[in-house]
Amino acid sequence: MEKSNPGKLSLFFLLFLCFASAILGDSTAESLLLSHFDAQYIPKMFLINAAALFIISTFLMPVFDRVNRGNLFMSGLLGHAVMLIFIRIAIWSKWTFFYGPLFSYAYVSKIIIFLTFWTIANDLFDSRKAGKVFPVIAAGGTLGAIAVSFSIPWLMKIIAAENLLLLWILLVSCSVLLFWPVKIKYGRFFKARPDTIKAARPVSVFQNLGILCKEPLVRNMALLFFALFFLLLNQHFTFYSQVKMHFSNANNVATFLGYFNGISMFFTFALQMTVAGKLLNAAGSTRSMLVVPVVMVIIFGTQFFLLRYFPEASGLVFGAVVIGMGLRVACFDSFFSPNFQIFFSSLPSQLRGRGKLAIEGVVKPLAILCSSLWMLWCLPGLTAPVNTMILFIIAMLVIFQTVRLRTHYTRSLTGYLSGYSSKKQAVVLEQLVNAMEQRSFESLRQKLHTESSEIREFIIELLAKSSSPEAVSILMESLDCNDRKTRATLVSSLGRLCLPDLKERLLEFLNDPDDRVVANAVQAVAGYKDERVNAQLEPLLHHSNNRVQANVIIALWPWVSDFKKAALLDSLQEMISDPDAVVRSSALYALGEIDGVESFLMLRRYFYKCGEEYRNEQVIFRQLSRAIAKKKDESSLVMLLAMAKEQNQMRIIQIINLLGMLVSELQEISLLKLLKKVDLFDRNLIIQALQNRTTA
């Protein structure tokens, strides 16, 4: 069923009202709490927030797919308005103890409303339209937050802070009236999915913990998320403490928070519209995630310096805390939040939702719990400079963990989730390929220009594996990129597709200034097995690069006469006698790829002549052993067994793997005869190779 766009304007204004009511609610609750209670009361409220967040993620989030989201949102807004009316009546009755629960209620209601709102938005717009529509809708929320924040100082001149609750009720009621026609018109999109109605079970905490234990990428993000939120909560507490020290009554607190929220949100909006997008494109998602921890280091470092050397300058400390808080809010919303969403794109679809739920539903409440206990039990016994220094050290550790996460992020993409076996890697890659749609292709096109070279290689492989017209088009567009390593990978991946339309384009790269690109272009062109095309490779026989020469020899070998084959063998003999081990390794690689008795004899002569060379040069050992293993001959088995003598464990494992390839090709009679001739060490190697082959 096709979804239409007219709901975009309604959702824009609806989010405007929802965001405005949320910011107004936060400012109201914070001003009333800080004006009537000491700052030490706030960690207790944080504990309630942690419990509420855990309950929401465990019991409420699984319900969303099993109920009508339109009815859920409407009833939630109505219940929200009724609850606010009850709280206002209680405050009129001088029940001041409601100020504490109001603080947590503002936090919980905000989470539920936004969670339900974006679920509804996803119901109305499919993934292709969402990429264009959601930023417009989100802008409505930002404008609502800015507008209501700057309205609060003006309102404080004519009403008391308690009466902001009336405006809060009015905004929520307007949200109900605005959503009512949306629900009537698009109600069919909000219905529960039939396949999820029966599965009414809350998500197990142990399931979430299992994701954190099994997935290295999620586990490292969880560590980063935990440490970062520990810092954020402590910074927030310091901010509240400073506000409490400098403002006495609720109206003054509300006025200050109005200006603060308005300026910080405006600065966030300006940052998102100018610097943030350019930095994300230039540095990539994983590098730009470093912005927040670096900012936190600067903030806590500055505060420590002021507290240590200017302890009496309370105004200076207050200014540093406020500016630091605003800077953190802007950077967190501009850099960490979008990257947090991008981060999960590297997980397969079946883990994406569960991984996010594990972090939001387990790690975040745990971080709030630990930071609250720190404030209640540890902070009273520490001086302000010591506490700030501890936070500074934790911020430094967060930088380290962010860099570490980037390593795991790269490994996850290049290895199709780190820790997976090769068989499972192939399955995950297949799932990613099958799940590709237009929005995914657009995202990958952008990442090809912004991410690190390792991630670009993964994306290229993913697109080549897809081999759809859209994927090939993206790869073709990127062929002219400036990065030589990426260009070489593109040529190699496109060459494996052997598409007729690409042949002439790949031939152009035989003249590329980078030797690696030329070598890959030779392989790509050779894959077409076109004698006419291969004839264009002959001039490259005298290329200065050894890899290019070796690939040209391999490409020409099946098509040339015996006379020319002799000339090619002469070239290989010259290369294999070169003093440079890298050149010799290229010749060995070529000898392993071509057939014929003469090539095998040349390989054998080199083996018995080189002596200790392969023991000292890893590149020679690797190419020589692989070349020998490709020659399906009993003498190859003897040479491999000889190479295993007096080697380290890693090389012996490599030999065993190559033996497994070789023994499977030999006849059983020849193998049994050989087992009788060899010594115990060689016999054990052969048996282990056979066992590995059987297990595989």
Side-chain angles (χ1 to χ4, degrees):
M1 186 180 294
E2 187 179 354
K3 300 178 183 181
S4 53
N5 271 333
K8 177 176 69 175
L9 191 60
S10 299
L11 291 187
F12 175 90
F13 286 110
L14 181 60
L15 189 60
F16 180 97
L17 292 173
C18 289
F19 237 104
S21 65
I23 294 296
L24 180 67
D26 283 342
S27 299
T28 304
E30 290 166 356
S31 61
L32 293 175
L33 181 69
L34 291 173
S35 62
H36 290 82
F37 294 94
D38 188 77
Q40 290 298 325
Y41 193 77
I42 292 173
K44 299 175 182 178
M45 295 299 100
F46 284 162
L47 287 173
I48 297 176
N49 293 353
L53 185 61
F54 178 78
I55 292 171
I56 289 171
S57 61
T58 304
F59 296 100
L60 181 61
M61 290 181 72
V63 172
F64 277 90
D65 287 335
R66 298 191 291 271
V67 299
N68 185 302
R69 268 85 63 187
N71 293 338
L72 180 66
F73 191 54
M74 178 63 73
S75 58
L77 289 174
L78 288 171
H80 186 31
V82 171
M83 180 62 72
L84 291 176
I85 292 171
F86 172 76
I87 292 173
R88 184 65 189 96
I89 294 173
I91 292 175
W92 261 327
S93 304
K94 305 300 181 182
W95 294 354
T96 55
F97 65 86
F98 264 92
Y99 294 147
L102 179 62
F103 179 85
S104 293
Y105 178 75
Y107 175 80
V108 173
S109 61
K110 175 175 62 178
I111 290 177
I112 295 175
I113 287 174
F114 288 151
L115 185 63
T116 315
F117 174 87
W118 286 113
T119 304
I120 286 173
N122 278 293
D123 286 336
L124 281 177
F125 301 100
D126 59 34
S127 58
R128 294 188 180 185
K129 293 178 182 177
K132 297 180 179 179
V133 174
F134 281 9
V136 177
I137 296 174
T142 304
L143 292 176
I146 294 173
V148 79
S149 295
F150 283 119
S151 299
I152 292 175
W154 175 76
L155 289 170
M156 288 299 92
K157 296 178 181 178
I158 55 177
I159 62 174
E162 291 84 351
N163 290 325
L164 288 176
L165 274 163
L166 298 176
L167 181 58
W168 192 359
I169 295 168
L170 177 63
L171 289 173
V172 174
S173 302
C174 290
S175 301
V176 173
L177 295 175
L178 183 59
F179 181 65
W180 182 258
V182 175
K183 179 180 177 297
I184 294 175
K185 187 172 183 179
Y186 303 106
R188 64 188 184 278
F189 295 120
F190 305 143
K191 292 181 180 179
R193 297 208 307 265
D195 58 326
T196 62
I197 293 176
K198 295 182 180 179
R201 286 202 310 264
V203 178
S204 169
V205 178
F206 297 105
Q207 288 178 320
N208 289 335
L209 291 175
I211 291 292
L212 298 179
C213 295
K214 292 178 182 178
E215 297 298 330
L217 188 58
V218 179
R219 184 169 63 249
N220 278 274
M221 172 53 88
L223 290 173
L224 172 63
F225 199 85
F226 177 89
L228 189 57
F229 259 83
F230 183 89
L231 291 175
L232 300 189
L233 265 292
N234 276 274
Q235 186 192 27
H236 227 118
F237 176 72
T238 304
F239 175 76
Y240 284 141
S241 300
Q242 289 291 324
V243 171
K244 174 68 177 178
M245 288 172 55
H246 288 79
F247 299 99
S248 56
N249 61 59
N251 279 35
N252 291 338
V253 174
T255 299
F256 169 77
L257 291 177
Y259 281 126
F260 172 80
N261 289 329
I263 293 172
S264 62
M265 288 297 296
F266 180 80
F267 183 68
T268 301
F269 182 74
L271 194 62
Q272 291 171 341
M273 293 296 102
T274 55
V275 179
K278 294 179 181 178
L279 183 60
L280 283 170
N281 288 330
S285 58
T286 50
R287 289 190 184 94
S288 58
M289 199 176 279
L290 281 165
V291 171
V292 173
V294 168
V295 167
M296 298 300 287
V297 166
I298 295 172
I299 290 170
F300 290 123
T302 303
Q303 290 178 14
F304 171 77
F305 177 79
L306 293 175
L307 290 168
R308 178 68 177 82
Y309 297 103
F310 302 95
E312 303 300 326
S314 59
L316 200 60
V317 173
F318 174 72
V321 170
V322 172
I323 292 173
M325 185 70 179
L327 188 61
R328 189 269 293 170
V329 169
C331 291
F332 186 88
D333 291 344
S334 300
F335 298 106
F336 187 85
S337 292
N339 284 326
F340 182 70
Q341 307 303 325
I342 294 171
F343 158 81
F344 286 97
S345 65
S346 60
L347 293 174
S349 56
Q350 73 271 20
L351 292 176
R352 200 171 300 149
R354 291 177 61 195
K356 191 173 182 181
L357 186 60
I359 290 179
E360 292 279 7
V362 176
V363 177
K364 189 174 181 179
L366 186 61
I368 298 175
L369 173 65
C370 292
S371 57
S372 301
L373 295 177
W374 170 268
M375 297 170 204
L376 289 171
W377 295 346
C378 302
L379 195 56
L382 300 173
T383 62
V386 171
N387 179 60
T388 308
M389 175 52 68
I390 293 173
L391 297 178
F392 174 82
I393 294 171
I394 295 175
M396 293 291 290
L397 293 175
V398 171
I399 291 179
F400 170 77
Q401 179 60 20
T402 306
V403 174
R404 191 164 174 262
L405 175 71
R406 182 174 180 271
T407 303
H408 280 271
Y409 181 59
T410 300
R411 188 185 306 165
S412 170
L413 288 175
T414 55
Y416 323 129
L417 299 177
S418 60
Y420 277 178
S421 64
S422 57
K423 185 176 181 180
K424 194 170 183 181
Q425 289 172 7
V427 172
V428 174
L429 180 58
E430 195 68 34
Q431 290 172 342
L432 289 170
V433 170
N434 294 336
M436 277 189 173
E437 54 186 41
Q438 191 62 38
R439 190 180 176 193
S440 301
F441 285 124
E442 289 300 321
S443 175
L444 292 177
R445 175 185 275 112
Q446 294 176 4
K447 285 180 176 292
L448 266 179
H449 300 285
T450 59
E451 293 293 350
S452 62
S453 59
E454 295 91 345
I455 295 177
R456 286 199 296 267
E457 287 182 19
F458 167 80
I459 294 172
I460 291 168
E461 184 174 354
L462 181 62
L463 291 170
K465 178 75 174 178
S466 169
S467 68
S468 66
E470 295 91 344
V472 174
S473 175
I474 294 172
L475 294 175
M476 289 289 290
E477 290 173 11
S478 305
L479 272 173
D480 295 321
C481 67
N482 294 325
D483 185 76
R484 297 179 177 184
K485 187 176 180 181
T486 301
R487 197 162 66 248
T489 306
L490 284 164
V491 169
S492 179
S493 298
L494 286 170
R496 286 195 294 269
L497 298 179
C498 290
L499 298 176
D501 296 340
L502 298 178
K503 188 189 299 183
E504 295 300 324
R505 184 74 173 96
L506 292 172
L507 280 169
E508 297 175 11
F509 289 94
L510 295 177
N511 300 314
D512 195 273
D514 185 71
D515 293 338
R516 179 167 38 194
V517 176
V518 177
N520 288 359
V522 171
Q523 280 186 322
V525 170
Y528 286 94
K529 298 180 180 179
D530 186 334
E531 187 174 0
R532 180 187 61 82
V533 172
N534 285 350
Q536 300 182 43
L537 301 178
E538 287 194 38
L540 295 175
L541 270 173
H542 306 290
H543 197 278
S544 59
N545 182 265
N546 53 283
R547 272 195 64 209
V548 175
Q549 292 178 29
N551 287 349
V552 170
I553 291 172
I554 296 168
L556 294 177
W557 186 265
W559 308 99
V560 297
S561 63
D562 291 342
F563 177 77
K564 286 191 175 182
K565 282 184 178 179
L568 295 179
L569 286 173
D570 289 341
S571 298
L572 285 176
Q573 183 61 54
E574 185 178 341
M575 291 175 66
I576 210 170
S577 304
D578 195 279
D580 189 344
V582 176
V583 177
R584 295 197 301 275
S585 70
S586 295
L588 292 171
Y589 166 72
L591 286 171
E593 295 295 321
I594 62 178
D595 57 12
V597 177
E598 290 298 324
S599 64
F600 185 38
L601 290 175
M602 182 182 294
L603 188 62
R604 288 186 61 183
R605 284 196 299 270
Y606 178 79
F607 171 77
Y608 289 110
K609 181 182 177 182
C610 69
E612 297 295 316
E613 187 174 313
Y614 67 81
R615 300 185 189 277
N616 302 326
E617 296 283 356
Q618 173 61 24
V619 66
I620 297 295
F621 175 86
R622 183 173 65 250
Q623 293 299 350
L624 178 60
S625 58
R626 290 178 179 178
I628 291 172
K630 291 175 182 177
K631 306 298 182 181
K632 313 302 182 184
D633 189 89
E634 186 177 327
S635 60
S636 299
L637 190 62
V638 174
M639 286 189 284
L640 282 179
L641 291 172
M643 290 186 72
K645 294 289 196 311
E646 300 179 12
Q647 295 291 347
N648 58 43
Q649 190 62 32
M650 186 62 69
R651 286 190 174 184
I652 291 175
I653 292 173
Q654 294 175 21
I655 292 292
I656 290 173
N657 292 333
L658 294 172
L659 284 171
M661 296 167 48
L662 190 54
V663 295
S664 62
E665 300 291 332
L666 297 178
Q667 295 182 356
E668 291 184 11
I669 297 176
S670 300
L671 195 57
L672 289 172
K673 289 181 179 179
L674 185 63
L675 283 171
K676 294 178 181 178
K677 296 179 183 178
V678 297
D679 59 23
L680 181 61
F681 176 79
D682 291 344
R683 192 179 301 123
N684 287 336
L685 290 183
I686 295 173
I687 292 172
Q688 191 170 345
L690 287 169
Q691 289 175 340
N692 291 350
R693 196 70 180 171
T694 304
T695 304

